[in-house]
Amino acid sequence: MLQIAIIGLGTLGIRMLEELAESDAELIIIDKDEEIVEQYKKFATAPYILDATNENALQEVISKDLDVAIIDMSNNLEAAIMTTNYLHKLGIKKIIVEARNNRQGEVLETVGATKIVYPELEAAKRITPMLFSNNMEVIQLSPDFALTEITISDALVGQTLGQTHIRQDWNLNVVAYREDDTDDFQFVSSPNFKLEQNYKLLVAGKNEDITRYSALSGHVESDKKTNFFIKLLKKSGIKKKTEDKKDKETKSN
C-alpha cells in the first residue's frame, strides 16, 4: 500500500488530502495546529499534531519506507527548507514541495525536494489562455505538450477529418468530440468523421501548434490578443513559428 505524508495543512495540503482520501493509500497528516488536524483527521490513517521543524519529532512519525512526502509550508520558507532537508536525510525518495516562486523552488531543490509545485503560477497559466482564446481549457501534460478543446473553424465545417489534414497541417491529433449542448465526449477513430459547426474537438498537441491554430484560425480575436497569447506561452520556452515568419517578412519589406 502506498504511504503518503502530507506535512502542512494549507490550501494545497487540504486539497491533496481530500483527493487522496478517495484512494486506498495510507495517509499521514502532520501540522502543529491542533484545531486543523482535528478538523481533517477523519481523512487520515495517522494524524499527528507536531512541529515538523523538530527533526526528532518528525523522525518518530515518518518511516524511511515512506513513499511520498507532500510539504505545504510555502508561507514559511524556513520551515519548508528545514522539513525538506530532514526528509531528504531520512532517505525519502519523493519529496513534493509547494513554493510561491522560482527562487523558493531553487532553494528547496537544493536541500532535497524532488518536485516543486507552484499552485498560483499553474492556476494563472491555465486561466490566462482561456481569456484570450475560445478554447475551453488547456491541460498541460508536459512543459510543451497539452490537451485542449478547440472550436472548428468555418473553413473546416462540412469536411471529413481526413479531408481537413489537421494532423498534417496543424500537427494536432483529434482525440474526441462533443456537441455544444452536451458535456459528453465521443471518441473519434475514423478519418471519415464529418466536422459540424456545433462540434467541439478535443485535441492533443504541442503548445506552439495549439497556439498557431488559435491564432490563425480566428480563435483569438485580435492581433493584440494573439501577440499576448504567444508571449504567454513563450514564457514556458515555446517558440512561435508564425511570429518568426512575420518578423522576417517585415524585415524584407
Side-chain angles (χ1 to χ4, degrees):
M1 181 182 295
L2 194 67
Q3 188 181 67
I4 302 172
I6 299 175
I7 303 173
L9 294 178
T11 302
L12 175 65
I14 291 171
R15 185 60 185 268
M16 290 299 302
L17 178 61
E18 291 174 339
E19 292 292 328
L20 290 168
E22 303 288 331
S23 70
D24 59 355
E26 182 180 341
L27 301 176
I28 299 169
I29 61 172
I30 297 172
D31 199 289
K32 63 181 180 180
D33 187 325
E34 181 178 356
E35 184 177 341
I36 199 166
V37 172
E38 284 294 323
Q39 183 179 352
Y40 290 98
K41 68 179 184 180
K42 61 184 178 183
F43 296 109
T45 308
Y48 296 102
I49 304 166
L50 62 85
D51 184 353
T53 63
N54 183 324
E55 185 174 8
N56 292 329
L58 192 63
Q59 287 179 347
E60 289 182 6
V61 300
I62 295 294
S63 164
K64 293 181 180 180
D65 297 326
L66 183 74
D67 295 293
V68 184
I70 301 170
I71 302 175
D72 178 5
M73 306 170 78
S74 62
N75 61 331
N76 187 336
L77 180 59
E78 182 180 358
I81 290 171
M82 293 174 66
T83 304
T84 301
N85 187 41
Y86 295 156
L87 292 172
H88 177 64
K89 289 195 295 183
L90 272 174
I92 308 304
K93 294 181 179 180
K94 187 174 289 187
I95 305 172
I96 302 170
V97 190
E98 180 191 30
R100 296 277 178 92
N101 51 57
N102 290 333
R103 182 173 297 178
Q104 283 191 7
E106 290 173 0
V107 173
L108 290 164
E109 285 180 335
T110 301
V111 296
T114 58
K115 172 70 176 178
I116 304 296
V117 293
Y118 304 93
E120 295 176 2
L121 177 60
E122 291 304 317
K125 284 183 177 180
R126 289 168 64 90
I127 293 171
T128 307
M130 296 163 58
L131 303 179
F132 292 87
S133 168
N134 289 332
N135 293 346
M136 179 185 70
E137 185 174 9
V138 178
I139 302 174
Q140 289 298 143
L141 303 178
S142 72
D144 63 351
F145 195 87
L147 187 69
T148 188
E149 183 180 87
I150 62 173
T151 57
I152 299 172
S153 65
D154 293 339
L156 302 183
V157 172
Q159 297 186 45
T160 66
L161 188 60
Q163 291 171 332
T164 62
H165 301 295
I166 287 179
R167 180 177 293 179
Q168 295 90 334
D169 294 345
W170 302 98
N171 295 322
L172 299 177
N173 291 291
V174 178
V175 178
Y177 81 99
R178 72 175 179 86
E179 297 184 28
D180 283 339
D181 58 354
T182 180
D183 292 328
D184 296 328
F185 279 98
Q186 304 292 328
F187 283 109
V188 175
S189 58
S190 171
N192 296 320
F193 171 73
K194 189 176 181 180
L195 304 183
E196 302 293 349
Q197 185 74 57
N198 65 326
Y199 287 174
K200 295 289 190 299
L201 301 180
L202 185 66
V203 301
K206 290 185 176 181
N207 291 345
E208 61 180 307
D209 293 318
I210 293 172
T211 307
R212 184 163 61 96
Y213 179 88
S214 296
L216 300 183
S217 298
H219 296 276
V220 179
E221 296 176 358
S222 70
D223 288 340
K224 185 176 181 180
K225 289 183 178 181
T226 299
N227 291 335
F228 183 91
F229 193 54
I230 293 167
K231 183 178 179 182
L232 175 74
L233 294 182
K234 271 190 170 183
K235 290 181 179 179
S236 298
I238 300 165
K239 295 181 180 179
K240 187 68 180 66
K241 295 179 181 178
T242 54
E243 188 179 63
D244 294 340
K245 183 178 179 181
K246 185 182 291 186
D247 289 340
K248 289 180 180 178
E249 290 175 350
T250 302
K251 290 179 181 178
S252 62
N253 292 333

